[in-house]
Amino acid sequence: MELKDKLVSSFLAFEEEFGGENDDLHNIRNQAIQDFERIGFPAKKEEAWKYTSLNSVLKHDYSFFPKKDDSLEYRDIKDYLIDNIDTYDLVFVDGVYSSHLSQTTHDKIDVCLMSSALCKAPYKAVVDNYFNKIAPKTGLNALNTAFTREGAYIHIQKNKMADKPIQIINLSTGKESAMLLQPRNLIVVDENSHVQIIERHQSLTDRPVLTNSVTEIFAAKRAIVDYYKIQNDSTSASLIDNTFIEQQSESFCSVHTFSLGGKLTRNNLNFYQKGEHIDSTLKGVTLIEGKQHVDHNTLVHHIEPNCESHQDYKGIFDGNSTGVFNGSVVVEKEAQKTNAYQSNNNVLLTDKATINSKPQLEIFADDVKCSHGCTIGQLDEDALFYLRSRGIPKREAQGLMMYAFANNVLESVKIPELKKRINKLIAEKLGVEVGFSL
Amino acid sequence: MLKIKNLHASIDDKEILKGINLEINPGEVHAIMGPNGSGKSTLSSVIAGKEEFDMTQGEIVFEGEELSELDPEERAHKGIFLSFQYPIEIPGVSVTNFMKAAINAHRKANGQEDMRANEMLKLIKEKSEMLEIDRKFLSRSLNEGFSGGEKKRNEIFQMAVLEPKLAILDETDSGLDIDALKVVAKGVNKLRTKDNAVLLITHYQRLLNYIQPDVVHVMVDGKIVKTGGKELALELEEKGYEWLKPEQV
Ligand SMILES: Nc1ncnc2c1ncn2[C@@H]1O[C@H](COP(=O)(O)OP(=O)(O)O)[C@@H](O)[C@H]1O
Ligand SMILES: [Mg+2]
């Protein structure tokens, strides 16, 4: 049976088992499965999927009824956590929350589970207000909504500051022959509040894993949200990340995406600016090899005046790897004095690697500053010669230069320990030694 | 130490070096002067191994070994150092990390272990102090946002750390004020021993007051058209290069 049919026909059984009592949710899910049945998975003929084909990842016989697995110990997962600073941790194993690996809180802020938020009374108002409100009606979002069961629920109440970063870790054990995971996260950050979140998907075996994740983020007035995505998965794991952010006036939101490994990675990242003096930042480093594929599909929707957006994506492609950058900026007629910057710079290390980079600017206001630039190139020969003339061998010189190229995206990472980790990950991938200072 | 015989080099089929002969012995300082565009930087790049240039004829022999098949890094390991006329900015690589990579690459090529961190710190500190380089510079990105003078001083600092046998200084003096010039000259003179050699490329006689050359060459249109003692530099300062057009020589 095709994956789509299998999913649709399993829906009722899934609802029975995990659906809960909430009638509103039943309705949302029912609607969603109908939407999915109608729309289906994206096809290559769609403009937004022209360069990313899901065929190779949809062909597996995925299991999508999560089973609880308590066998993982902290030491098995330690490498995938930032473990030497204090954090809240939400750890999911094969889609099921793992309490003994997690650290949640309800003390002034809520860092807990989607499954309980969806069915418990104290969260009803927030869920009714925000759940499934900004995710556009795509086949993938509908699919996730229909099967919504678990994920992170984070609510930072007014004037609160999350006192430590929050890590959302999705692990897959490979106990099933192939696994489809659909985490669903809801993050609501009220007025004047502040939160830092790190998200990671990690497969622990070579079995195929497909993750179709949906995250909705709401940043109220003057809220600050910094979100970091670490995508460094095994080459049998694929990820479709759908993240949607709605911002109110004077809020700051940034998303950094580090795409360092995985079979196929697609990032759908949309920002909707619903007020004035908003700042949205989207940054990414892609560093892949072999047959890996990374696709960044971004949208910043400038709706009100006096807002800014900054997009800076860097890519380094080795081997036969392929990349896509599809960055849209829409500036509505009312959104005067918008500053929108976008840049996408790529280095291709072989003549087999490819990148399709396509900025799309739709500007309906007249008093705006918008810039976009895209480069695709090799490493600068003069700089390489300079390093080699100091005795640094060619490969190492190339590594140093790539490191330098990618590294400036890290400057805006606000969690020093995370910055160090990513720095190290990138340096290791490039075979350079760094971190020596006076 | 360095013997260049009938060297021809071109880029994109345009011949730039048209038969250079040059011999430098250990302990000597040679200066090459000449108008802009005569090929001085090309000569230094070709000696250092820049692959863009095609060596179409001739040979470059360094300590008895023909260089043309060697990569730039291998030439560096043998003791050739080029101070660039226009040092390249490399954002994201700190001066210190760059020097660490360079030092350890040299050591590896000589079959030595990596230098210990404290030893390296000491070396870097000593040399940067000699060249009056602020410590803050060392953690900055290589050459990024450095002034012209700072870049040149940084080149000499790298030279002082790597202690090459043959140092080629391509217009290291241009853009330096007199104090910086003295600091740079001090660095170069420190390196001078009976075993090392220096090739100074310069426009001005001024540097030669501080680093006394043994031999002065004049290069015009890809050829060395005149060779003499240090008094030749003074003569050039006075008369310019016009009287030395290649066809008249
Ligand atoms: N990369 C290059 N591509 C093309 N022409 C070059 C290149 N480098 C140097 N040249 C040419 O070679 C000639 C010599 O240049 P150069 O060696 O820089 O002279 P100098 O250092 O004496 O001023 C000039 O005519 C210059 O335009
Ligand atoms: Mg020159």
Side-chain angles (χ1 to χ4, degrees):
Chain A
M1 214 191 307
E2 290 252 326
L3 182 59
K4 181 183 162 187
D5 301 330
K6 196 176 152 198
L7 282 159
V8 171
S9 60
S10 309
F11 176 71
L12 282 180
F14 189 90
E15 266 282 89
E16 285 284 292
E17 194 169 345
F18 304 112
E21 303 293 308
N22 184 329
D23 280 345
D24 294 342
L25 269 177
H26 275 297
N27 292 337
I28 291 175
R29 280 201 244 259
N30 270 312
Q31 181 61 49
I33 196 69
Q34 286 169 38
D35 291 339
F36 173 67
E37 193 171 5
R38 195 180 68 252
I39 307 168
F41 285 108
K44 270 193 101 165
K45 61 179 193 291
E46 290 171 49
E47 188 60 27
W49 291 86
K50 198 166 159 190
Y51 299 108
T52 297
S53 165
L54 294 180
N55 289 344
S56 70
V57 301
L58 296 180
K59 66 172 193 231
H60 298 289
D61 187 19
Y62 291 108
S63 134
F64 37 82
F65 282 79
K67 290 193 192 87
K68 197 168 171 64
D69 181 318
D70 275 333
S71 64
L72 284 186
E73 297 290 334
Y74 179 72
R75 62 167 192 275
D76 303 324
I77 67 160
K78 185 170 154 303
D79 287 351
Y80 309 115
L81 290 161
I82 310 287
D83 60 339
N84 50 351
I85 55 169
D86 214 4
T87 53
Y88 296 112
D89 302 326
L90 294 168
V91 179
F92 304 94
V93 179
D94 293 336
V96 181
Y97 174 65
S98 169
S99 58
H100 74 287
L101 296 172
S102 299
Q103 201 206 339
T104 60
T105 183
H106 291 289
D107 182 19
K108 301 190 191 83
I109 61 173
D110 291 312
V111 178
C112 60
L113 304 183
M114 195 62 153
S115 56
S116 49
L118 288 175
C119 65
K120 288 188 185 161
Y123 308 106
K124 187 164 189 317
V126 173
V127 169
D128 285 350
N129 254 335
Y130 296 105
F131 178 75
N132 204 37
K133 287 294 186 287
I134 50 171
K137 211 178 256 186
T138 64
L140 291 163
N141 290 339
L143 177 64
N144 179 289
T145 303
F147 288 90
T148 289
R149 170 168 184 257
E150 195 50 288
Y153 173 87
I154 296 168
H155 182 198
I156 315 294
Q157 283 83 347
K158 197 171 164 179
N159 299 327
K160 291 289 180 299
M161 166 119 165
D163 53 336
K164 42 195 184 185
I166 300 166
Q167 303 192 79
I168 306 171
I169 312 290
N170 299 284
L171 300 162
S172 56
T173 59
K175 294 244 161 70
E176 303 282 346
S177 61
M179 187 92 212
L180 171 64
L181 296 171
Q182 301 210 71
R184 177 70 174 228
N185 305 314
L186 177 62
I187 294 153
V188 179
V189 186
D190 291 347
E191 246 180 85
N192 292 321
S193 300
H194 185 177
V195 68
Q196 298 177 323
I197 297 169
I198 301 164
E199 179 196 300
R200 184 163 188 161
H201 302 267
Q202 190 68 47
S203 160
L204 303 175
T205 70
D206 295 333
R207 294 246 167 109
V209 179
L210 171 60
T211 302
N212 176 41
S213 166
V214 172
T215 303
E216 292 176 287
I217 301 173
F218 295 85
K221 214 169 163 186
R222 285 190 294 277
I224 304 175
V225 179
D226 295 306
Y227 207 104
Y228 304 95
K229 292 172 183 285
I230 306 175
Q231 302 173 344
N232 186 32
D233 216 335
S234 80
T235 51
S236 56
S238 295
L239 171 66
I240 304 166
D241 181 293
N242 307 281
T243 297
F244 310 103
I245 303 181
E246 183 177 283
Q247 290 186 251
Q248 302 297 331
S249 292
E250 295 171 60
S251 61
F252 276 74
C253 289
S254 71
V255 174
H256 288 70
T257 307
F258 301 102
S259 307
L260 310 175
K263 178 182 165 69
L264 178 152
T265 307
R266 163 74 172 227
N267 288 292
N268 294 316
L269 177 58
N270 296 4
F271 279 74
Y272 308 105
Q273 296 187 336
K274 294 279 178 69
E276 294 198 40
H277 303 286
I278 289 170
D279 192 293
S280 307
T281 298
L282 301 75
K283 296 201 178 190
V285 175
T286 302
L287 176 55
I288 53 173
E289 58 181 9
K291 290 184 175 162
Q292 301 179 79
H293 177 85
V294 171
D295 178 348
H296 291 288
N297 191 288
T298 68
L299 164 71
V300 180
H301 195 174
H302 288 274
I303 302 167
E304 303 273 344
N306 298 310
C307 293
E308 293 192 14
S309 66
H310 305 265
Q311 299 193 53
D312 184 1
Y313 282 82
K314 299 243 164 115
I316 299 173
F317 301 88
D318 203 349
N320 294 300
S321 65
T322 47
V324 182
F325 177 78
N326 217 322
S328 302
V329 175
V330 178
V331 182
E332 296 293 348
K333 210 165 126 207
E334 296 73 31
Q336 299 294 357
K337 307 264 184 224
T338 290
N339 282 335
Y341 303 98
Q342 182 188 83
S343 82
N344 174 230
N345 301 299
N346 301 287
V347 174
L348 300 179
L349 295 177
T350 69
D351 47 16
K352 300 250 170 54
T354 60
I355 168 82
N356 281 291
S357 179
K358 195 171 101 191
Q360 275 174 289
L361 307 183
E362 291 175 48
I363 300 169
F364 302 103
D366 45 29
D367 185 13
V368 298
K369 268 196 222 146
C370 289
S371 70
H372 71 93
C374 144
T375 61
I376 299 169
Q378 280 78 38
L379 294 175
D380 178 32
E381 285 296 327
D382 288 336
L384 263 182
F385 174 59
Y386 185 63
L387 295 174
R388 294 175 75 190
S389 78
R390 299 303 183 244
I392 301 171
K394 187 172 178 185
R395 277 219 71 90
E396 197 182 335
Q398 287 173 329
L400 268 175
M401 285 185 56
M402 289 185 280
Y403 171 77
F405 168 78
N407 194 49
N408 73 341
V409 172
L410 288 181
E411 271 162 32
S412 46
V413 172
K414 289 190 205 144
I415 306 170
E417 192 52 38
L418 175 68
K419 192 193 248 178
K420 229 196 258 171
R421 288 286 186 101
I422 306 265
N423 218 327
K424 200 163 152 253
L425 266 179
I426 292 177
E428 276 169 11
K429 294 232 173 228
L430 295 171
V432 299
E433 274 189 53
V434 292
F436 178 81
S437 61
L438 288 185
Chain B
M1 171 178 270
L2 180 74
K3 268 198 196 117
I4 297 179
K5 272 192 231 154
N6 190 32
L7 174 65
H8 290 251
S10 44
I11 186 158
D12 307 332
D13 292 328
K14 178 175 138 198
E15 185 161 71
I16 295 167
L17 301 181
K18 303 175 179 171
I20 302 274
N21 292 291
L22 182 66
E23 180 162 355
I24 302 178
N25 297 308
E28 290 180 350
V29 174
H30 286 230
I32 296 185
M33 304 179 78
N36 266 331
S38 57
K40 305 183 297 296
S41 293
T42 302
L43 175 63
S44 22
S45 299
V46 170
I47 299 173
K50 193 164 188 185
E51 285 153 356
E52 252 179 298
F53 295 101
D54 293 324
M55 238 177 94
T56 50
Q57 275 187 62
E59 56 179 23
I60 305 174
V61 178
F62 182 69
E63 299 207 302
E65 187 176 0
E66 169 35 54
L67 291 184
S68 60
E69 294 300 314
L70 297 187
D71 289 335
E73 55 268 36
E74 293 171 311
R75 300 182 198 207
H77 300 154
K78 298 213 173 295
I80 294 176
F81 179 92
L82 170 59
S83 166
F84 281 57
Q85 180 175 5
Y86 303 108
I88 316 286
E89 299 197 4
I90 308 196
V93 177
S94 72
V95 175
T96 316
N97 276 323
F98 167 65
M99 286 319 295
K100 180 188 170 196
I103 291 168
N104 284 334
H106 275 84
R107 290 175 70 100
K108 197 167 175 190
N110 291 325
Q112 290 169 287
E113 298 275 293
D114 280 2
M115 189 181 274
R116 297 224 318 277
N118 55 353
E119 201 183 334
M120 188 159 327
L121 289 176
K122 214 178 113 211
L123 175 68
I124 288 176
K125 186 162 177 274
E126 178 201 332
K127 303 296 183 182
S128 58
E129 277 169 8
M130 176 177 86
L131 290 157
E132 297 171 23
I133 290 174
D134 195 319
R135 281 172 78 106
K136 271 184 277 176
F137 258 84
L138 302 173
S139 52
R140 279 176 54 182
S141 285
L142 187 55
N143 293 321
E144 191 186 29
F146 288 20
S147 71
E150 286 162 351
K151 285 181 183 165
K152 297 303 176 74
R153 209 188 286 216
N154 190 254
E155 295 289 287
I156 299 305
F157 160 69
Q158 295 170 30
M159 181 195 77
V161 170
L162 296 174
E163 298 187 324
K165 288 184 191 149
L166 172 67
I168 307 167
L169 310 185
D170 189 359
E171 303 212 17
T172 302
D173 51 334
S174 37
L176 292 185
D177 62 29
I178 198 75
D179 292 328
L181 190 71
K182 281 184 191 165
V183 172
V184 163
K186 186 172 85 182
V188 176
N189 286 324
K190 257 245 156 78
L191 184 80
R192 287 182 73 173
T193 67
K194 65 178 184 8
D195 300 319
N196 296 356
V198 179
L199 179 57
L200 289 174
I201 292 170
T202 180
H203 259 323
Y204 309 102
Q205 200 278 344
R206 181 175 86 134
L207 176 68
L208 306 181
N209 292 333
Y210 298 97
I211 310 171
Q212 297 264 325
D214 301 297
V215 186
V216 175
H217 309 273
V218 184
M219 189 159 160
V220 179
D221 191 25
K223 283 187 192 141
I224 289 178
V225 297
K226 196 168 175 61
T227 294
K230 59 175 177 275
E231 61 296 337
L232 179 57
L234 289 166
E235 199 179 345
L236 289 168
E237 183 100 333
E238 240 168 70
K239 299 204 226 161
Y241 299 107
E242 290 305 307
W243 58 289
L244 283 170
K245 283 295 177 212
E247 46 281 358
Q248 296 161 0
V249 185

